[in-house]
Amino acid sequence: MCKSKNNMGLIGLLSAASLSLMVGSAVAADKCASNMNGEGYNFRLSSEQSATITNHQKVDGGYQEIKTLVKDGNTYVSTALYSHPLLVIMREFGENTFVTSYPDHGADLNKLPDDKTFDTAFKMFVGEEFIANGKKQIEFLGQEDVTIGDCTYQNVWKVRDTTVIDELVPVVIEKYYASDLELVIRSVVIDAAGNIKSDTSYDKIENE
C-alpha cells in the first residue's frame, strides 16, 4: 500500500509528469517545429513574473526533458525521463527523484491507433524505496488538428490516460500527441464528473 504521507506527493507527481507543459499568453511562432532533430525542441514562455525554457530531446533509451524556470531572481531546474513520450519513467520532484517501473518500456504505444488501448501495471519508488503500486490505461480516441501559435499540426493523436495508484482516485488526462514530432503538445485534466479541471498547452514550439 502507498504510505499515507506520500499520497499528496504522488498526486502532485502525476500532475507534474503529465502536465510538463506551460501556460501563458499566446506567442506567435516564427517557424513551425518539424521532425525531431538531434537537439530536440525548445519551448519558451515569458511573463512579468517568470520566464521558462523547456528542452525536450531524444537520449539513449528514450527522451529527456529539462525545464528551467527563472522567478523572483531564483533559478529552478527539473529533469524528467520518458521511455516513450506518453510514458514517464523518472521525474525529479523537489528534493526527491520519483521512479516509475513498468514491465515493458511502452514500445507498443507506437501501435496505439491499431490496438486502441494500452494497459500496464507499474511500481513507484522514491530513490530506491518502494512506495506504491499502480495501473495505467492509455486509450486512443482519434486524430485531430491542433494549432499552436501560428502553426497547425495535423493528425495529432487524442488519447485518454487513466492512472490509478493503490486506492487513490484515478487521475484522468486527455493528451494530444503529435507522433511525427514525438511530443505531447496539449494535456487536459478531467475530473470524476467529466469536467475539465485544467487545459494546458504550449504557446510556441521550435526546433532548437
Side-chain angles (χ1 to χ4, degrees):
M1 292 292 293
C2 172
K3 296 182 179 180
S4 60
K5 67 179 180 180
N6 286 313
N7 283 2
M8 294 306 296
L10 291 174
I11 294 173
L13 175 66
L14 285 174
S15 298
S18 300
L19 297 176
S20 55
L21 314 179
M22 301 301 294
V23 176
S25 58
V27 178
D30 297 325
K31 56 185 178 180
C32 300
S34 58
N35 292 350
M36 185 179 291
N37 58 29
E39 299 300 325
Y41 306 108
N42 274 339
F43 315 96
R44 294 177 174 85
L45 172 65
S46 297
S47 68
E48 294 181 359
Q49 292 78 28
S50 64
T52 303
I53 298 177
T54 301
N55 178 262
H56 181 90
Q57 61 181 288
K58 284 184 177 179
V59 294
D60 290 342
Y63 303 80
Q64 176 179 266
E65 177 189 88
I66 301 175
K67 182 183 296 181
T68 303
L69 168 67
V70 179
K71 184 175 182 179
D72 299 328
N74 298 312
T75 300
Y76 307 90
V77 179
S78 63
T79 301
L81 295 176
Y82 299 77
S83 58
H84 183 280
L86 291 169
L87 207 61
V88 66
I89 56 176
M90 186 280 289
R91 179 171 292 276
E92 293 180 350
F93 193 70
E95 298 181 354
N96 296 315
T97 298
F98 286 82
V99 176
T100 308
S101 176
Y102 300 91
D104 59 54
H105 296 291
D108 287 345
L109 283 166
N110 292 323
K111 300 185 294 182
L112 193 60
D114 296 322
D115 295 343
K116 302 305 180 185
T117 59
F118 171 84
D119 293 278
T120 185
F122 61 83
K123 296 181 181 295
M124 293 192 70
F125 300 83
V126 175
E128 297 182 355
E129 179 187 1
F130 170 76
I131 56 172
N133 289 303
K135 294 182 179 180
K136 177 183 287 289
Q137 180 182 84
I138 301 177
E139 179 184 2
F140 181 77
L141 301 179
Q143 296 184 349
E144 298 183 8
D145 293 348
V146 177
T147 299
I148 304 293
D150 290 340
C151 301
T152 297
Y153 300 96
Q154 298 180 328
N155 301 319
V156 174
W157 299 6
K158 181 180 180 180
V159 306
R160 180 179 291 117
D161 182 320
T162 303
T163 303
V164 181
I165 295 179
D166 285 334
E167 304 302 323
L168 299 180
V169 175
V171 175
V172 180
I173 304 173
E174 291 184 352
K175 298 180 180 181
Y176 293 77
Y177 171 58
S179 59
D180 55 341
L181 301 183
E182 302 172 71
L183 183 71
V184 174
I185 62 176
R186 180 185 177 198
S187 292
V188 181
V189 180
I190 307 296
D191 66 17
N195 300 312
I196 295 176
K197 293 179 64 178
S198 65
D199 187 343
T200 314
S201 63
Y202 288 113
D203 291 320
K204 188 175 183 178
I205 306 174
E206 289 185 344
N207 288 100
E208 186 173 36

